[in-house]
Amino acid sequence: MEEKKHIYVHETHTLWQDNGELHIECEQGTIVWNLETLYNDLPHMLAYCIEEHKKKEQRIKKEMIKLTKK
């Protein structure tokens, strides 16, 4: 059985669509994503992003409060 390759995308270089596919170019290569599948997954992906963003905001707010109390 072939081991799956994990691709970490820190930044994208180029995005484009062609023939119902989204192409995401990054340092590791190009990821091709079926747009119908992406459309169905977007609500879940956005929920994860919003959740993580809220956690980050809370951490920053706590640090700012600590700094202003000193």
Side-chain angles (χ1 to χ4, degrees):
M1 184 163 124
E2 189 176 323
E3 188 175 329
K4 293 182 181 183
K5 181 180 178 183
H6 292 270
I7 298 173
Y8 176 79
V9 179
H10 180 70
E11 294 180 10
T12 59
H13 298 288
T14 308
L15 296 172
W16 73 93
Q17 71 84 28
D18 187 37
N19 294 322
E21 298 172 331
L22 176 67
H23 298 255
I24 305 169
E25 187 177 321
C26 59
E27 288 185 15
Q28 295 86 352
T30 302
I31 299 168
V32 181
W33 204 325
N34 176 286
L35 283 171
E36 188 68 31
T37 302
L38 176 60
Y39 182 82
N40 292 334
D41 291 340
L42 274 176
H44 306 288
M45 295 169 72
L46 288 172
Y48 294 142
C49 291
I50 291 167
E51 180 181 324
E52 287 303 310
H53 184 72
K54 285 180 182 178
K55 289 178 188 177
K56 179 182 171 184
E57 284 181 333
Q58 290 172 351
R59 284 192 307 269
I60 290 171
K61 186 176 179 179
K62 284 180 186 178
E63 288 300 315
M64 291 173 74
I65 291 170
K66 282 183 193 176
L67 291 170
T68 58
K69 289 184 179 181
K70 290 183 177 182

